[in-house]
Amino acid sequence: NPLPLEDDFTEQDYEPRLGLSNLGPFGAGVATGPFGTGVQGGISAYFSDMLNYHQLFTSLQVSGRIIDAAGQATYINRKQQLNWGANLSHIPYRRFFFGFDVDTGEVDGTPVVQEQLIREELRIFQEQAGIFTQYPFSRHLRVETGLNMRYYHFRLDSVTNVFASGVQVD
């Protein structure tokens, strides 16, 4: 008999467990140039239970240094008609400034022209947390509401190299 018998099956309550459902596009790269070498990479992952009642969307991206890593996670509970969820994210934004300044000074009592090469990196970090609900009326119509909180903080890295007659003195 090719079909299993009814006694071959056991019933048990459904316990949802998140499992990896899909990996998004993965990207990685390395670049080099006059200002140094940099790396970048990112990946997204989607987790859900077997019935799609619980869903978790995640993404991670690294660009440059570990301090510049960004991440985001969103959870959705779709078990009831009133869906609800929460999200968290950490996103850094980088800005660069390069400057050049010329001044006069003295080295061992001799007047020299000093050149200053200035490099500044400003990082703005955005931390966000939120909750939301959705009530679908049909496949094409739903009502949504949410509450988000954001917090911004900053970091400034500044490097000044001083040259006198073409020789670095700092």
Side-chain angles (χ1 to χ4, degrees):
N1 187 4
L3 297 176
L5 300 174
E6 188 174 329
D7 296 338
D8 293 340
F9 295 98
T10 59
E11 287 187 23
Q12 63 186 50
D13 291 336
Y14 173 67
E15 295 182 26
R17 290 189 186 104
L18 289 179
L20 181 63
S21 296
N22 189 8
L23 275 177
F26 171 77
V30 177
T32 186
F35 299 111
T37 301
V39 295
Q40 181 174 357
I43 191 165
S44 298
Y46 168 66
F47 302 88
S48 68
D49 65 340
M50 189 181 302
L51 298 177
N52 250 1
Y53 288 158
H54 305 275
Q55 299 173 331
L56 178 64
F57 303 90
T58 62
S59 65
L60 177 67
Q61 179 178 337
V62 178
S63 177
R65 298 172 18 196
I66 294 297
I67 194 170
D68 299 315
Q72 182 173 346
T74 301
Y75 169 78
I76 302 175
N77 184 318
R78 302 178 76 175
K79 189 169 184 176
Q80 307 295 326
Q81 182 149 5
L82 180 64
N83 305 325
W84 62 271
N87 57 25
L88 293 171
S89 68
H90 166 82
I91 301 172
Y93 299 96
R94 290 182 1 186
R95 300 289 180 261
F96 295 97
F97 169 77
F98 294 96
F100 185 76
D101 191 18
V102 177
D103 198 2
T104 57
E106 288 187 13
V107 174
D108 297 330
T110 306
V112 294
V113 175
Q114 291 182 343
E115 302 162 339
Q116 295 180 356
L117 180 61
I118 303 164
R119 182 178 70 99
E120 293 183 342
E121 287 183 61
L122 172 65
R123 287 178 173 83
I124 303 169
F125 299 98
Q126 176 190 346
E127 316 296 342
Q128 181 173 313
I131 56 173
F132 59 90
T133 60
Q134 304 170 338
Y135 189 85
F137 295 105
S138 68
R139 294 184 95 168
H140 307 288
L141 182 64
R142 70 176 176 227
V143 173
E144 298 182 3
T145 186
L147 176 66
N148 283 303
M149 295 185 312
R150 288 188 184 141
Y151 173 72
Y152 292 93
H153 52 105
F154 307 89
R155 175 180 165 156
L156 177 65
D157 296 324
S158 181
V159 176
T160 302
N161 297 318
V162 179
F163 298 88
S165 301
V167 178
Q168 188 168 349
V169 295
D170 64 340

